[in-house]
Amino acid sequence: MNIHEYQAKELFDRFEVPSPRGQMAETAEDALKIAQEINSDLMVVKAQVHAGGRGKGTFKNGFEGGVHLTKSAEDIGALAGKMIGQTLVTKQTGEEGKLVRKVMVADAVDIKHEYYLAVLMDRETSRPVIVASTEGGMDIEEVAESSPEKILRVFIHPLAGLQAHQVRKLIVGLGLKGPAAKAFGKVLKNLYRLFTSLDCDMVEINPLVETPDGEVLALDAKFGFDDNALYRHPEVEAYRDIEEEDPREVAAAEFDLSYIGLDGNIACLVNGAGLAMATMDAIKFSGGDPANFLDVGGGATEAQVKGAFNIIQSDPKVEAILINIFGGIMDCNVIAQGVVAAVKETGLKLPLVVRLEGNNVAAGRETLTASGLAITGADDLADAAKKAVAAV
Ligand code: ADP
Ligand code: MG
């Protein structure tokens, strides 16, 4: 799960990670009021969407930039009015962009230097890693590409936690001195405590800035939380903004399905995560593109299968459906009944390729045949993938 910058700021406040004074607004009038309250020489108004690259983004109506600095409260109100209700396209939103419903108005900070700082879960070493760079404020992937030596990595043993020598290593590596070095150390410790306490899988601050007075503040924030641990943090779960999420994934979550939306046109309905991955590979290998990852799980019910099938059919990108079931615990007939029940309601609008094998497969095939649906049968996974690709 991701959250907005203004929500991240609340978590920063709680864990004593300094960030500029600011507040969220849903209308231009409220943005103006907040700016009048902040009443500082320079202020910033920022579009709130679950995507980075806002500063360099462009609205679909041509208005440039999702982050604006200005001196007057009236300007803040006017800029907020130009952003709210408009669709912002950034490097991270995809070309469809994201509708801006909220902005954050904050104090603008005098910046001496912009750094990059993130705590991530590293899958290779199964431990948190701190990633830091002197090249903050820009696209970190680009920095990693063009000057990888400018990216520092420190791996943390999860039981030992962040060690003093690791903090020093980062301070020296970033060239921080005096009060800024001390302030950075405190930010790092508090950020790591936040990361572990809230079961994050990513906290990225870009930029983390040093001011001329030696203060260190987080000017931006991107959070990712481990969904499996969210039940331990109801206050974090309350930050969920489903309007920012893929509607296909929101619907799938209602049915407890493991679903990830992708950009291709061949929908997959599979049991087991490994088989689902193999199915996507087989589609790619045959020259096609999967529209989703979907694992209905080992003990799926007819209602879940029906739900899954409806999500697939309502996705406008989908041009063919591939069902690949290897019944172990899963009863092939439950899948067949779920599919038939879903199609009875909505009709079958797309080519459907089915490969069923294993537990109770004869009954499953019988259910499909008896339904009279136009189904293309397949002998094995490779055959199924080929037929699905040929159908689009
Ligand atoms: P994004 O990464 O989505 O473009 P940021 O929050 O990083 O958005 O803002 C882009 C840039 O705008 C920052 O790199 C920084 O230079 C500037 N900026 C953002 N917030 C502030 C602030 N409170 N004070 C001063 N400058 C800011
Ligand atoms: Mg940023």
Side-chain angles (χ1 to χ4, degrees):
M1 189 187 98
N2 300 322
I3 60 173
H4 287 291
E5 183 188 13
Y6 73 89
Q7 297 167 325
K9 186 181 153 38
E10 291 178 14
L11 297 177
F12 282 159
D13 289 348
R14 195 170 127 201
F15 285 85
E16 293 178 63
V17 174
S19 66
R21 237 165 9 122
Q23 239 179 298
M24 183 271 283
E26 284 174 295
T27 62
E29 297 76 53
D30 282 353
L32 170 66
K33 267 186 221 150
I34 294 166
Q36 284 166 339
E37 274 162 32
I38 294 176
N39 189 30
S40 78
D41 298 342
L42 194 61
M43 288 174 280
V44 61
V45 54
K46 311 171 79 170
Q48 299 294 288
V49 287
H50 284 189
R54 297 163 297 168
K56 292 197 183 102
T58 306
F59 287 86
K60 280 203 168 156
N61 65 3
F63 184 62
E64 297 269 339
V67 175
H68 291 271
L69 279 89
T70 179
K71 288 182 176 149
S72 87
E74 284 68 34
D75 283 353
I76 292 281
L79 287 161
K82 284 191 178 154
M83 295 199 270
I84 294 170
Q86 300 300 324
T87 302
L88 178 64
V89 181
T90 82
K91 250 184 155 176
Q92 294 183 10
T93 60
E95 58 188 34
E96 68 273 17
K98 281 198 173 277
L99 180 64
V100 176
R101 294 181 178 86
K102 300 164 183 169
V103 295
M104 186 170 86
V105 179
D107 201 357
V109 172
D110 200 0
I111 300 172
K112 184 176 162 199
H113 191 87
E114 297 189 273
Y115 298 90
Y116 175 94
L117 178 65
V119 190
L120 312 164
M121 199 52 90
D122 181 59
R123 290 179 194 276
E124 213 162 297
T125 54
S126 305
R127 51 181 68 181
V129 56
I130 293 174
V131 181
S133 176
T134 50
E135 310 304 295
M138 34 191 135
D139 194 339
I140 197 69
E141 282 81 11
E142 257 172 58
V143 179
E145 183 90 359
S146 60
S147 29
E149 74 287 353
K150 289 195 171 149
I151 297 193
L152 311 171
R153 285 186 187 81
V154 170
F155 293 88
I156 314 291
H157 191 287
L159 293 180
L162 178 63
Q163 301 293 302
H165 70 89
Q166 295 176 315
V167 177
R168 280 198 299 276
K169 186 177 167 188
L170 286 164
I171 288 173
V172 173
L174 294 175
L176 286 155
K177 299 209 167 61
K182 205 174 156 196
F184 175 83
K186 197 173 161 207
V187 166
L188 190 56
K189 281 181 212 159
N190 288 342
L191 190 68
Y192 186 73
R193 193 164 52 86
L194 183 164
F195 178 86
T196 50
S197 310
L198 298 181
D199 295 306
C200 298
D201 49 34
M202 171 189 76
V203 178
E204 183 188 63
I205 304 177
N206 189 22
L208 178 79
V209 301
E210 176 186 356
T211 70
D213 310 332
E215 274 185 282
V216 172
L217 298 118
L219 291 204
D220 188 11
K222 201 171 167 195
F223 275 63
F225 295 92
D226 178 352
D227 288 347
N228 295 315
L230 273 180
Y231 74 96
R232 304 208 289 192
H233 311 288
E235 82 287 9
V236 171
E237 207 165 8
Y239 283 148
R240 168 158 258 148
D241 183 350
I242 58 167
E243 289 181 308
E244 290 287 322
E245 295 178 11
D246 186 329
R248 299 174 296 179
E249 289 176 19
V250 174
E254 262 173 52
F255 288 99
D256 251 335
L257 298 164
S258 184
Y259 177 98
I260 295 165
L262 301 167
D263 294 330
N265 54 2
I266 300 174
C268 316
L269 191 158
V270 189
N271 68 319
L275 190 60
M277 299 293 282
T279 305
M280 300 193 311
D281 282 347
I283 290 171
K284 278 273 185 193
F285 190 72
S286 302
D289 274 309
N292 64 276
F293 165 95
L294 170 57
D295 167 17
V296 294
T301 62
E302 191 186 315
Q304 280 178 304
V305 173
K306 195 176 147 192
F309 202 80
N310 283 335
I311 291 164
I312 286 173
Q313 284 232 94
S314 59
D315 183 344
K317 286 200 200 101
V318 172
E319 291 173 29
I321 302 167
L322 197 174
I323 296 181
N324 183 23
I325 303 298
F326 189 85
I329 302 167
M330 190 72 232
D331 179 334
C332 287
N333 199 29
V334 169
I335 298 282
Q337 283 164 346
V339 169
V340 172
V343 169
K344 253 189 201 150
E345 272 177 27
T346 53
L348 182 62
K349 303 161 196 153
L350 301 163
L352 173 62
V353 181
V354 179
R355 180 249 180 166
L356 284 183
E357 211 51 77
N359 181 10
N360 212 13
V361 65
R365 290 206 179 117
E366 178 56 37
T367 300
L368 291 176
T369 311
S371 73
L373 294 175
I375 293 170
T376 308
D379 304 329
D380 55 34
L381 174 52
D383 184 42
K386 261 186 230 146
K387 284 175 173 162
V389 172
V392 299

